[in-house]
Amino acid sequence: MTDRSDLSKLPSYQQPRRSVFSARKIALMASVVAGLGAAVYGFGPSTSPADLFSSPAHAQVNNEVRKVERPIGFADIVERVKPSVISVKVNMKEKTASNDSGDDESSPFQPGSPMERFFRRFGGPDGIPGLKGGGGRGRVVQGQGSGFFISADGFAVTNNHVVDGADKVEVTTDDGKTYTAKVIGTDQRTDLALIKVEGSSSFPFAKLADGKPRIGDWVLAVGNPFGLGGTVTAGIVSASGRDIGNGPYDDFIQIDAPVNKGNSGGPAFDTNGEVMGVNTAIYSPSGGSVGIAFSIPASTVKSVVAQLKDKGSVSRGWIGVQIQPVTSDIADSLGMKKAEGALVAEPQANGPAAKAGIESGDVITSVNGESVKDARELARTIGGLAPGATVKLNVLHKGQDKVVNLTLGQLPNTMEAKADIDKDSGKGASRGTDVPKLGMTVAPADSVAGAGKEGVVITEVDPKSAAAERGFKEGDVILEVGGKSVSTAGEVRDAINTARTDNKNSVLMRVKSGGQSRFVAVPIAKG
């Protein structure tokens, strides 16, 4: 009789199927648990519990975590830089303050300027942090903004629109003390101002950064939003090189740190505690912060402040040209491989460029060996040089490269342009001659009152035509087509046919509108 307790010794004995399944299931669950342990804690199975926290793998993970460790706060930085930031309060007569009347004199920017239109469109005066407001006519009103010391003896930076027109300027420091300040100089083109605070020679001051911030870098905005002095907000650099329509020197840093009215003129600090920019404007449909603010780069602040401190004003280099961007269509028309450089629409009479032989249609590609990316970069580069300096320009002239040396003039404080064409210049004129496939009619300019003696004046534009799409309108004067001067409709047609024969996709026209010249690339149909 076989002993039941020894059945496993029988050759034919097999474990029940259910037991085998259970063993596999348990093994699978164990492997999952072990895997979870490795994933969550950074280690694998070990024979000793003490090894779980001292294994080489765990130590390596900890080391990697330390390498990418980030600060959990900015308290140390703020404690160091906040004393250099000041609240700027101004008193002025009501005529320089904003009001509800909509008068142009209330704006801190030139009436009709791109900057003014930009902020009136996106939230009106509330779109400008620190903009002065309120008060009845003839009364003294107050405005306030922010600023920061740049030297121990009391020199401080703020915005031009904060102190513009101020009769009295006072600053309040981080420790609550109030001092009187004097405006040393302002620069409307960059919206910067330098003030001098009297009363001490040991003010805590901030350093302007030497390098350019990178997109994604941390930024701290410190200022006086809504009169709440010493407020700190944090964010990142969202973009650089922003053009917001203020002028040819636009090169703003865009940040997403909350900035509001009263922050104008305040500093934007990097994590080294250095000023990367001066907060000057916000994009705001509602008047409050929506996370899009613009700061003037430290490099611009340095150059402007140095001149303001030296002579109270800013002098900029000037070559005397109207310029425009080189679009892909224009580049194709000129036979250029890349759409880059600055196209000279018209050299100004007796300006440095005209005297040096630069002509309409030339493309300036570099300044002193440094490539020019676009028209804005040329304006900033030339504007950053001192009047009287000699520069070397590389120019594409009628398809050939040439070098032009010229001496910079000084940018005039006011630039005026006269319109050569009356708005009603087309009245009483003949209908003109059709220009095929462009959708417009033209007539010799000397046959239309007020149109001048050169070129052909546009007397009619089909609103659905290629000409209308490119911005041509009645009263514009076409001076050149394909690099050739034109005075009749026939010459326009001939120039277009020549471009078509040369297998060009578009023809370049120089057009005068409202006293300003520009080049327009117009597509031409084949055949």
Side-chain angles (χ1 to χ4, degrees):
M1 183 175 182
T2 306
D3 187 355
R4 292 181 181 271
S5 62
D6 199 24
L7 289 177
S8 61
K9 294 182 179 181
L10 295 176
S12 61
Y13 176 79
Q14 294 183 350
Q15 293 285 350
R17 186 175 301 272
R18 181 178 178 181
S19 298
V20 173
F21 174 78
S22 298
R24 290 177 179 174
K25 183 176 181 180
I26 292 172
L28 179 60
M29 291 177 63
S31 66
V32 170
V33 171
L36 288 174
V40 174
Y41 297 105
F43 55 81
S46 173
T47 56
S48 171
D51 292 337
L52 296 181
F53 298 99
S54 59
S55 67
H58 181 253
Q60 182 179 357
V61 170
N62 273 347
N63 289 336
E64 293 298 326
V65 170
R66 291 192 188 98
K67 289 180 182 178
V68 297
E69 194 173 8
R70 293 293 183 265
I72 58 174
F74 304 103
D76 291 340
I77 301 172
V78 172
E79 185 178 4
R80 181 157 52 94
V81 303
K82 192 165 171 281
S84 66
V85 184
I86 56 177
S87 170
V88 181
K89 296 182 180 179
V90 298
N91 289 342
M92 69 201 71
K93 293 180 181 179
E94 190 262 346
K95 66 177 182 178
T96 59
S98 66
N99 52 53
D100 296 329
S101 68
D103 293 340
D104 286 339
E105 66 180 0
S106 68
S107 173
F109 306 107
Q110 289 294 327
S113 68
M115 189 79 155
E116 184 204 42
R117 293 196 302 271
F118 180 88
F119 289 107
R120 287 198 184 280
R121 177 183 177 190
F122 299 115
D126 284 343
I128 309 170
L131 182 62
K132 304 166 282 291
R137 183 166 297 279
R139 296 170 54 185
V140 174
V141 295
Q142 286 189 334
Q144 58 186 17
S146 305
F148 60 98
F149 287 115
I150 58 171
S151 66
D153 57 353
F155 282 100
V157 173
T158 186
N159 279 147
N160 170 65
H161 77 255
V162 170
V163 299
D164 186 32
D167 300 313
K168 181 181 179 181
V169 180
E170 290 183 341
V171 304
T172 303
T173 57
D174 188 55
D175 58 7
K177 295 180 180 179
T178 300
Y179 301 88
T180 300
K182 176 184 178 182
V183 178
I184 301 299
T186 63
D187 181 46
Q188 185 179 13
R189 287 186 171 95
T190 57
D191 196 22
L192 287 170
L194 179 68
I195 60 177
K196 179 69 164 61
V197 181
E198 304 294 343
S200 177
S201 58
S202 58
F203 289 111
F205 62 94
K207 180 182 182 299
L208 293 166
D210 294 323
K212 293 183 178 180
R214 298 182 304 166
I215 297 174
D217 278 350
W218 283 109
V219 57
L220 301 175
V222 185
N224 184 41
F226 304 111
L228 302 172
T231 299
V232 182
T233 56
I236 63 169
V237 175
S238 305
S240 61
R242 285 298 196 211
D243 177 7
I244 62 175
N246 184 36
Y249 308 110
D250 281 12
D251 188 25
F252 292 103
I253 302 167
Q254 180 182 322
I255 64 175
D256 76 343
V259 171
N260 291 282
K261 292 189 299 181
N263 274 111
S264 280
F269 289 103
D270 60 23
T271 51
N272 293 321
E274 298 179 348
V275 178
M276 69 165 66
V278 176
N279 300 322
T280 189
I282 61 174
Y283 173 97
S284 178
S286 63
S289 173
V290 293
I292 299 179
F294 302 100
S295 299
I296 306 164
S299 56
T300 300
V301 179
K302 283 183 179 180
S303 62
V304 170
V305 165
Q307 291 195 59
L308 292 179
K309 186 175 181 180
D310 183 44
K311 52 187 178 182
S313 62
V314 178
S315 298
R316 292 181 171 87
W318 176 67
I319 60 175
V321 291
Q322 293 178 17
I323 55 175
Q324 66 180 82
V326 178
T327 65
S328 56
D329 287 341
I330 291 176
D332 178 71
S333 302
L334 295 174
M336 299 173 62
K337 295 181 179 179
K338 293 182 178 180
E340 58 186 13
L343 177 63
V344 177
E346 185 176 5
Q348 298 177 16
N350 299 319
K355 293 178 180 178
I358 292 178
E359 301 177 1
S360 297
D362 288 351
V363 179
I364 300 174
T365 58
S366 72
V367 177
N368 292 333
E370 296 293 330
S371 297
V372 172
K373 181 181 178 182
D374 52 31
R376 284 199 306 126
E377 186 170 323
L378 175 65
R380 289 198 302 268
T381 302
I382 296 298
L385 300 174
T390 300
V391 297
K392 181 179 74 172
L393 305 179
N394 285 80
V395 178
L396 181 65
H397 176 75
K398 298 185 183 301
Q400 301 295 321
D401 291 321
K402 73 173 186 178
V403 176
V404 176
N405 293 295
L406 59 80
T407 301
L408 297 180
Q410 180 171 330
L411 181 68
N413 289 328
T414 58
M415 301 294 292
E416 298 181 356
K418 284 187 176 181
D420 291 336
I421 310 167
D422 254 344
K423 291 182 179 178
D424 297 329
S425 62
K427 290 184 178 180
S430 61
R431 178 180 178 276
T433 305
D434 287 330
V435 178
K437 300 182 180 180
L438 291 185
M440 62 182 177
T441 60
V442 299
D446 57 10
S447 69
V448 179
K453 297 181 179 180
E454 298 180 349
V456 294
V457 64
I458 299 175
T459 59
E460 189 176 348
V461 179
D462 182 350
K464 297 181 180 179
S465 66
E469 290 179 357
R470 292 304 188 276
F472 287 97
K473 61 184 183 296
E474 183 179 343
D476 287 352
V477 177
I478 300 175
L479 301 173
E480 295 178 4
V481 179
K484 296 180 180 179
S485 298
V486 293
S487 58
T488 66
E491 290 177 349
V492 174
R493 287 194 297 266
D494 291 342
I496 292 174
N497 289 332
T498 298
R500 186 181 292 115
T501 302
D502 293 339
N503 292 320
K504 290 188 176 180
N505 297 318
S506 58
V507 63
L508 199 62
M509 297 185 179
R510 184 161 74 95
V511 185
K512 198 167 190 177
S513 178
Q516 300 291 318
S517 293
R518 73 182 193 279
F519 281 93
V520 181
V522 182
I524 52 178
K526 302 296 183 182

